[in-house]
Amino acid sequence: MITSVDCRIDATMSMTLSSSGLNKIGSLHIAQTCLSMPSRHRSWRLLCSPICSASVSLLVEERRSTFDREKADRLVKDLKKVFNSGKTKTYEWRIAQLTSMLKMIEENEADIYRALYQDLSKPESEAFISEVAMTTGSCKLALKELDQWMKPQKAKTTVTTYPSSAEIVSEPLGIVLVISTWNYPFLLSLDPVIGALAAGNAVVLKPSEIAPASASLLSKLFREYLDNSAVKVVEGAVDETTALLEQKWDKIFYTGNGRVGRIIMAAAAKHLTPVILELGGKCPAVVDSNTNLQVSAKRIVAGKWGCNNGQTCIAPDYIITTKAFAPKLIDALKNELVEFFGDYPMKSKDMSRLINLYHFKRLTSLMDEDEVSDKIVVGGQRNEEQLKISPTILLDVPETSQIMQEEIFGPLLPILTVDNVEDSFNIINSRSKPLAAYIFTSDEELKKAFVRDISAGGMLINDTIIHLTVDSLPFGGVGESGMGSYHGKFSFDSFSHKKGVLYRGFTGDSPTRFPPYTPAKLRLLKALISGDIFQVLRSMIGLPKN
Amino acid sequence: METGYLRELRQSFSSGRTRDAAWRKSQLRAILRLLDENENQIFQALQRDLGKHPIEVYRDEIGVVKKSVTYALSCIDKWMAPKKNQLPLLFFPSRAEVRPEPLGIILIFVSWNFPITLALDPLVGAISAGNTVVIKPSELSPETSAFLARTIPAYLDRKAIKVIEGGTDIAENLLQQKWDKIFFTGSARVARIVMAAAVTHLTPVTLELGGKCPAIVDSLSATLDLKVAAKRLAAGKWGACCGQACIAIDYILVEQKFSSALIELLKKSVKRFYGENVKNLKNLSTIVNKHHFNRLRNLMEDPAVAASIVYGGEVDEENMIIQPTILLDPPLDAEIMQEEIFGPLLPIITLDNIKDSIEFINSRPKPLALYAFTKDDAFKKQIVAETSSGSLTFNDTVIQFVCDDLPFGGVGLSGFGRYHGKYSFDAFSHEKAVLHRSFYLELEARHPPWNDFKLRFLRFAYMFDYWGLILLYMGLKR
């Protein structure tokens, strides 16, 4: 029997509790509190075993937030001063930060893997691909291209402003807040920060408290490697985030879910702060019978269970395939699962675990719902102590079931079947636009139709996930899956203001600009705008001398 | 619960017809016809709403939209085409592209000061991008609002483009619906309300706001240059809707020793362009309504401000006219120097050294436009590098608005998002990244079960060290 008390615990608290021996059963699981709870009346709900509940009450006390509005005020004021000094705008400063960031990642790889293993049981190779390699890649790209990116872009001028020249100058926005999440705590913290630094901004990073080892490592590394006067990490949870959100930022970058995304946008609205919201959604994968089944299955398994065990914003959430093809697909998926994780996936070292008990319970209740639990065709096993759920495939769950209503973000894969593969389009379009949409087919017409008729943040034909790694492609959502995009130069652009600059001399004024306004001027004006050279000449001949 | 008009718009969008290049072009051409065939009605509406002279109307409204439509028609095929991307060899064989697609249903809030341009210019962008649209004109320009409500359904696809007239309650109702994008031109106060409402459906917004747009005037030695500068400054203040423009000059910064010369030239231009007697002014728009008239009059009534008036200050309440007014060094904490003026009052602030203007500007919110009249190249570079504004124009005013290759939008409190030219198309599009992969050449190293070889492979792969990969495969690399 579990006693439950809701609580908000920050990294320090969790370490205190774990060192007291409460961590015997695994790690201390931090529950997400209801964000609408006012900080005065926090109730404490600690998910732990009954043995510990007595000792818990001794340790759990009302924790005063150490990062409050006053601290946030001062933080922003200090950062503004540094930004206004012009230091962060220089090419040298930006290159220095990016170079240090690269060193930071390369010199601390082992610690990064350790933190990721502690937070998520993430296997090292997965961590390398998805967290280390991608961030070092972003640093290197920025270092290589920054001088090009920073150059003003020439703009064309027309006869209306002749003689003139124009350019578009990129300038930093000022002070940027990056709020990151727990599933790829390094990637989703560092990638936006790299973009913000490349664009010349001062940055505050608020990593997710739900991945506490990663958060405190980030905090330590930033202090050691980056310019502390302009780049800061604020650790914490709801209170700290709220204090930060009350400030006026020049841009806020948030990765996470739609519910918190709304809170952030609402806070931003007060200061008219532009936001980038990288959210999620239910990313569908359509599987046609006309496809290379083995490779498709491999790539689906990789994208679903090979990436943080389904806890990825662009993981294939659910599959749609034809009734006839479903059994073959399920078999192929089963085979690939064994290839990847062996016969006992729960014991495989190559599979991440679930982040915490809250999500474990959320996922098990999705599986255990009536009319859903009997649709499990593969998997369904769970181990609460280890926070693991085996790769689970479900066939034809009702579309109204909870598992088909919310983003799964876990190792459950529902397969919906249709009569004809084209029917899948209606299912997808009847839902909110996802962050990614996938299709596996060799049928060129079907591919074309999919690209044309489905709207999603990004799309991948015959594969999953990897479009994220192409930094010449913008990465971002649309509709419920978010707004704004980044990666590669898009990151630089997202954190810049593109200022239009027009240079004129003192000659070249069309007489139509200034009063007194005469009918002749109107004729000339019309001619100029229509670009009809004869009309212009005619009007000019009729124009009285100035 | 979707209302009737929204349902119709969604149906039109789902049918796919707005995505068709032919549809988009036909709608754009229809806008041209609408303007050509109703010129006099437009002149009349704007005369009634704002006392605008037909030349001002043609130059700032009809002409601007025609230019935008013509440009869009000539570029739309290029804009609509997917952009191919280069991929690293590692991904071979794959191809990638970025494909623009319409967002869906757009809501455009129009401001009253340029009621044709600020309705139709964004409309051009929304249509080019293949969306359906609702235009909400401002109730403060009722004649133009009625004109749009009458003519748009007559010329454009009425099931895809609608005009909804009304005041605050209509606007509130609109804000409760689900839009795919909201495009707002107006004040920061209302912008906050709009953005807060957009939160419910996570609707992206473009906010074109305003601010106090300063004009830095360096000491110019050549007489001709001075004359031209004065004309452009006058036109930049009073020439567009009598100062009621988001990019009108709000105030001027000039060196003490140069200020009287400048003021004399400005007075000359004002008298020539607009006349001297408040009862006899011409070529000047009126103040839009009593509320703004009173607001502007109150700005002048502060005794310290009134004392700083060096020209003008007269009002004609019956006809809602305020004379072009020049003030010399009103107190910086007076309201006239705190809020956006949006009217024909021009404070001139003197400085000891013109270079101090940079700090002056930087200590205030970022404006939508910044103007600087100078021939000093080093000073120009300094202004570009050390100030931030939506846009920056040297030696002229307002005219950056018609440069379709320059993004038009604000930064900081002057707004976010941008449009004009291709930026309009982009503002109403979603750029969808599409990666096509083949089934061949599956990289086994991507997948579990993990082992040392795979990890080493991945390290080379991520460095695009193809030689290293080959050697690894051949067993020659450790």
Side-chain angles (χ1 to χ4, degrees):
Chain A
M1 187 191 96
I2 307 279
T3 32
S4 53
V5 175
D6 274 288
C7 72
R8 176 197 55 72
I9 308 181
D10 73 359
T12 326
M13 188 57 147
S14 76
M15 289 195 305
T16 313
L17 288 159
S18 58
S19 64
S20 73
L22 287 170
N23 212 14
K24 286 269 168 55
I25 45 170
S27 47
L28 187 66
H29 312 302
I30 303 162
Q32 266 179 307
T33 50
C34 168
L35 277 165
S36 61
M37 213 185 291
S39 54
R40 292 270 164 273
H41 307 292
R42 280 187 298 251
S43 62
W44 293 88
R45 193 164 18 116
L46 201 67
L47 290 155
C48 57
S49 90
I51 313 159
C52 309
S53 59
S55 16
V56 162
S57 57
L58 294 174
L59 286 165
V60 166
E61 49 187 77
E62 179 84 9
R63 249 198 100 250
R64 253 181 319 121
S65 169
T66 53
F67 184 85
D68 54 9
R69 167 177 270 167
E70 209 190 296
K71 285 233 165 78
D73 278 347
R74 219 169 334 137
L75 169 71
V76 167
K77 223 157 136 215
D78 290 342
L79 285 171
K80 270 209 183 94
K81 225 164 118 200
V82 172
F83 179 77
N84 288 338
S85 75
K87 169 159 80 151
T88 65
K89 291 191 194 178
T90 65
Y91 175 76
E92 290 71 31
W93 184 88
R94 305 184 203 192
I95 291 289
Q97 296 311 295
L98 293 169
T99 311
S100 292
M101 170 92 70
L102 185 58
K103 247 178 61 185
M104 177 182 103
I105 303 167
E106 287 174 341
E107 288 175 3
N108 295 279
E109 242 185 85
D111 282 338
I112 293 175
Y113 295 141
R114 242 192 308 271
L116 285 166
Y117 194 77
Q118 198 175 327
D119 285 331
L120 292 149
S121 295
K122 207 176 267 213
E124 188 178 311
S125 295
E126 218 194 287
F128 172 74
I129 298 178
S130 60
E131 305 241 28
V132 170
M134 287 208 49
T135 44
T136 51
S138 297
C139 277
K140 288 182 183 158
L141 181 73
L143 283 166
K144 180 160 156 260
E145 302 287 325
L146 187 63
D147 61 342
Q148 277 307 309
W149 292 350
M150 281 176 73
K151 277 207 177 92
Q153 200 188 316
K154 282 251 160 288
K156 290 200 283 265
T157 55
T158 61
V159 71
T160 34
T161 54
Y162 182 83
S164 61
S165 66
E167 61 183 8
I168 300 169
V169 170
S170 296
E171 45 184 44
L173 291 166
I175 318 176
V176 165
L177 173 63
V178 174
I179 300 178
S180 156
T181 185
W182 54 262
N183 57 344
Y184 293 87
F186 287 90
L187 176 66
L188 300 174
S189 299
L190 298 180
D191 234 1
V193 170
I194 289 167
L197 293 175
N201 299 283
V203 188
V204 171
L205 169 66
K206 158 69 189 71
S208 173
E209 70 280 15
I210 297 176
S214 305
S216 49
L217 180 59
L218 279 165
S219 192
K220 171 170 164 289
L221 291 177
F222 270 49
R223 265 196 316 270
E224 281 172 31
Y225 284 82
L226 302 173
D227 179 348
N228 288 323
S229 69
V231 190
K232 301 204 192 273
V233 176
V234 173
E235 289 185 76
V238 175
D239 277 355
E240 288 73 13
T241 311
T242 310
L244 286 169
L245 286 173
E246 281 166 0
Q247 298 298 317
K248 178 177 182 335
W249 302 93
D250 295 295
K251 189 136 194 179
I252 299 177
F253 184 103
Y254 169 74
T255 310
N257 64 58
R259 186 177 55 85
V260 177
R262 284 171 168 83
I263 294 173
I264 295 193
M265 189 171 166
K270 298 206 175 83
H271 297 289
L272 294 172
T273 297
V275 299
I276 296 182
L277 304 176
E278 295 270 334
L279 309 178
K282 292 182 78 60
C283 301
V286 175
V287 184
D288 189 17
S289 50
N290 176 4
T291 189
N292 180 324
L293 184 53
Q294 202 210 6
V295 176
S296 303
K298 219 188 264 280
R299 293 174 176 179
I300 291 172
V301 171
K304 180 76 171 186
W305 295 284
C307 283
N308 217 14
N309 207 3
Q311 302 165 104
T312 303
C313 50
I314 47 172
D317 187 280
Y318 65 103
I319 287 184
I320 310 178
T321 189
T322 53
K323 289 188 164 52
F325 197 60
K328 293 208 189 88
L329 177 59
I330 292 173
D331 276 338
L333 290 169
K334 272 197 214 159
N335 287 338
E336 293 307 324
L337 279 169
V338 170
E339 282 288 320
F340 280 34
F341 303 114
D343 291 311
Y344 304 101
M346 302 274 269
K347 294 204 167 85
S348 166
K349 285 220 161 5
D350 293 334
M351 200 170 80
S352 310
R353 64 165 167 80
L354 299 172
I355 182 74
N356 61 22
L357 193 58
Y358 168 81
H359 282 284
F360 176 89
K361 282 184 175 311
R362 181 182 64 81
L363 290 160
T364 49
S365 71
L366 289 182
M367 282 199 294
D368 295 340
E369 193 183 331
D370 270 340
E371 310 233 357
V372 173
S373 51
D374 56 344
K375 308 289 192 301
I376 296 178
V377 293
V378 175
Q381 294 90 27
R382 68 221 47 199
N383 183 326
E384 187 171 312
E385 196 184 301
Q386 291 177 358
L387 289 178
K388 284 199 166 172
I389 294 176
S390 64
T392 301
I393 302 177
L394 307 95
L395 182 60
D396 280 325
V397 299
E399 278 193 59
T400 50
S401 56
Q402 195 59 24
I403 199 175
M404 285 310 295
Q405 295 304 310
E406 62 177 64
E407 185 175 358
I408 294 170
F409 226 68
L412 317 178
L413 181 66
I415 299 183
L416 300 180
T417 58
V418 289
D419 290 323
N420 299 308
V421 73
E422 291 86 2
D423 299 339
S424 61
F425 291 20
N426 283 336
I427 297 181
I428 299 173
N429 283 337
S430 68
R431 292 160 172 282
S432 46
K433 300 176 189 178
L435 187 53
Y438 306 109
I439 187 165
F440 289 86
T441 181
S442 300
D443 179 343
E444 291 303 319
E445 289 307 312
L446 188 63
K447 283 182 200 174
K448 280 205 187 92
F450 189 75
V451 172
R452 189 188 60 224
D453 297 338
I454 307 279
S455 184
M459 278 194 153
L460 197 34
I461 314 294
N462 294 331
D463 210 327
T464 57
I465 309 281
I466 63 171
H467 61 300
L468 176 87
T469 66
V470 181
D471 53 35
S472 58
L473 286 174
F475 183 76
V478 64
E480 282 280 336
S481 51
M483 53 182 84
S485 61
Y486 72 129
H487 282 182
K489 182 168 190 287
F490 301 101
S491 292
F492 176 85
D493 292 341
S494 290
F495 290 105
S496 298
H497 168 55
K498 301 285 179 173
K499 179 165 75 179
V501 184
L502 180 64
Y503 295 89
R504 292 210 77 207
F506 290 93
T507 55
D509 266 325
S510 150
T512 62
R513 276 188 79 177
F514 308 119
Y517 298 134
T518 61
K521 280 192 181 178
L522 182 56
R523 278 197 300 276
L524 177 58
L525 181 60
K526 287 191 182 184
L528 284 170
I529 286 178
S530 75
D532 181 337
I533 189 74
F534 292 110
Q535 206 182 340
V536 171
L537 288 170
R538 274 202 304 273
S539 325
M540 286 179 76
I541 290 168
L543 192 69
K545 289 244 169 3
N546 258 356
Chain B
M1 266 308 277
E2 264 199 349
T3 54
Y5 63 86
L6 273 183
R7 224 173 308 132
E8 192 168 44
L9 291 169
R10 260 194 216 289
Q11 261 161 21
S12 299
F13 186 72
S14 317
S15 76
R17 79 166 174 285
T18 66
R19 291 176 179 249
D20 221 13
W23 181 88
R24 305 185 202 193
K25 290 179 188 167
S26 76
Q27 296 304 295
L28 292 173
R29 285 190 205 106
I31 296 178
L32 279 178
R33 270 196 334 266
L34 185 161
L35 293 168
D36 280 335
E37 293 171 13
N38 295 279
E39 215 175 82
N40 285 324
Q41 283 194 50
I42 296 177
F43 288 153
Q44 240 169 47
L46 279 155
Q47 167 61 40
R48 292 204 189 112
D49 278 337
L50 288 154
K52 269 197 206 190
H53 190 284
I55 284 203
E56 222 191 288
V57 175
Y58 200 88
R59 187 193 67 208
D60 298 345
E61 306 239 33
I62 299 178
V64 169
V65 181
K66 286 180 85 160
K67 158 203 69 71
S68 300
V69 173
T70 314
Y71 188 61
L73 278 168
S74 69
C75 295
I76 193 168
D77 290 318
K78 202 167 46 152
W79 293 346
M80 282 174 69
K83 276 200 298 270
K84 300 249 177 285
N85 267 34
Q86 279 277 49
L87 286 176
L89 193 58
L90 192 69
F91 284 88
F92 183 83
S94 308
R95 59 189 168 88
E97 60 185 13
V98 177
R99 178 176 277 266
E101 46 181 43
L103 292 167
I105 313 184
I106 312 292
L107 173 62
I108 298 175
F109 278 110
V110 187
S111 174
W112 50 262
N113 53 347
F114 294 88
I116 298 282
T117 305
L118 299 176
L120 300 184
D121 227 7
L123 179 66
V124 168
I127 289 176
S128 312
N131 300 282
T132 57
V133 188
V134 168
I135 299 173
K136 158 69 184 70
S138 170
E139 69 278 21
L140 296 187
S141 52
E143 298 285 328
T144 318
S145 174
F147 168 79
L148 289 170
R150 217 168 40 240
T151 51
I152 287 199
Y155 284 80
L156 274 60
D157 181 341
R158 58 177 63 203
K159 291 212 171 96
I161 298 163
K162 297 192 185 288
V163 177
I164 296 184
E165 291 188 89
T168 324
D169 47 345
I170 298 287
E172 270 167 13
N173 188 300
L174 286 170
L175 283 174
Q176 282 165 19
Q177 311 304 321
K178 181 178 186 327
W179 306 94
D180 297 294
K181 183 141 190 171
I182 300 177
F183 185 98
F184 172 83
T185 309
S187 70
R189 187 187 61 85
V190 181
R192 287 186 176 89
I193 299 172
V194 170
M195 189 169 168
V199 169
T200 314
H201 298 288
L202 286 174
T203 302
V205 301
T206 290
L207 303 175
E208 296 271 335
L209 311 178
K212 292 181 78 60
C213 300
I216 301 173
V217 183
D218 197 2
S219 316
L220 298 164
S221 42
T223 329
L224 200 56
D225 293 348
L226 280 172
K227 282 205 174 127
V228 170
K231 277 163 74 171
R232 292 175 178 178
L233 286 164
K237 178 68 179 186
W238 297 287
C241 208
C242 194
Q244 301 165 103
C246 51
I247 46 172
I249 298 177
D250 189 278
Y251 64 98
I252 289 180
L253 290 163
V254 69
E255 257 176 28
Q256 226 302 322
K257 56 184 198 283
F258 189 56
S259 55
S260 28
L262 179 62
I263 291 174
E264 284 316 302
L265 285 167
L266 286 170
K267 279 191 203 170
K268 264 210 192 99
S269 294
V270 166
K271 287 177 193 167
R272 244 194 77 211
F273 291 167
Y274 311 113
E276 292 197 52
N277 190 323
V278 71
K279 292 282 184 205
N280 244 331
L281 293 174
K282 46 191 172 17
N283 304 323
L284 200 62
S285 303
T286 53
I287 306 303
V288 66
N289 63 14
K290 252 252 156 333
H291 163 77
H292 281 284
F293 181 88
N294 288 333
R295 179 182 66 78
L296 288 161
R297 191 172 41 187
N298 288 340
L299 289 180
M300 288 194 286
E301 273 170 7
D302 179 335
V305 174
S308 68
I309 296 178
V310 293
Y311 178 85
E314 301 289 311
V315 308
D316 174 355
E317 184 157 353
E318 190 191 324
N319 295 310
M320 300 275 247
I321 294 180
I322 296 181
Q323 193 184 12
T325 301
I326 304 174
L327 307 95
L328 180 57
D329 281 323
L332 294 178
D333 57 0
E335 213 167 323
I336 199 175
M337 282 309 292
Q338 295 296 312
E339 64 168 62
E340 187 176 0
I341 294 170
F342 226 67
L345 318 177
L346 178 64
I348 296 187
I349 309 291
T350 60
L351 305 163
D352 288 329
N353 185 318
I354 196 63
K355 305 269 162 69
D356 298 338
S357 55
I358 292 188
E359 202 193 305
F360 188 97
I361 291 167
N362 284 343
S363 62
R364 289 169 165 70
K366 299 175 188 178
L368 185 55
L370 175 52
Y371 304 107
F373 284 77
T374 178
K375 288 185 120 162
D376 179 346
D377 278 334
F379 188 36
K380 283 186 198 175
K381 283 206 175 78
Q382 210 188 343
I383 297 173
V384 173
E386 294 179 24
T387 62
S388 183
S389 52
S391 67
L392 171 55
T393 304
F394 286 105
N395 300 328
D396 209 331
T397 56
V398 179
I399 201 171
Q400 74 275 17
F401 194 80
V402 295
C403 286
D404 278 331
D405 222 28
L406 287 177
F408 183 79
V411 63
L413 288 175
S414 51
F416 54 81
R418 60 223 185 138
Y419 70 131
H420 285 183
K422 179 166 194 290
Y423 299 103
S424 290
F425 178 87
D426 292 342
F428 296 104
S429 299
H430 166 55
E431 306 225 302
K432 182 168 74 181
V434 184
L435 180 60
H436 292 254
R437 295 266 299 151
S438 140
F439 290 114
Y440 305 118
L441 297 191
E442 176 62 354
L443 288 178
E444 292 296 326
R446 281 174 59 187
H447 309 309
W450 303 119
N451 56 45
D452 251 348
F453 174 86
K454 285 188 180 176
L455 188 51
R456 266 181 286 147
F457 177 95
L458 290 166
R459 283 186 188 279
F460 287 126
Y462 270 93
M463 288 190 289
F464 301 114
D465 184 350
Y466 298 109
W467 187 237
L469 283 173
I470 294 171
L471 292 176
L472 179 70
Y473 261 119
M474 288 163 59
L476 292 174
K477 203 70 156 163
R478 296 231 67 250

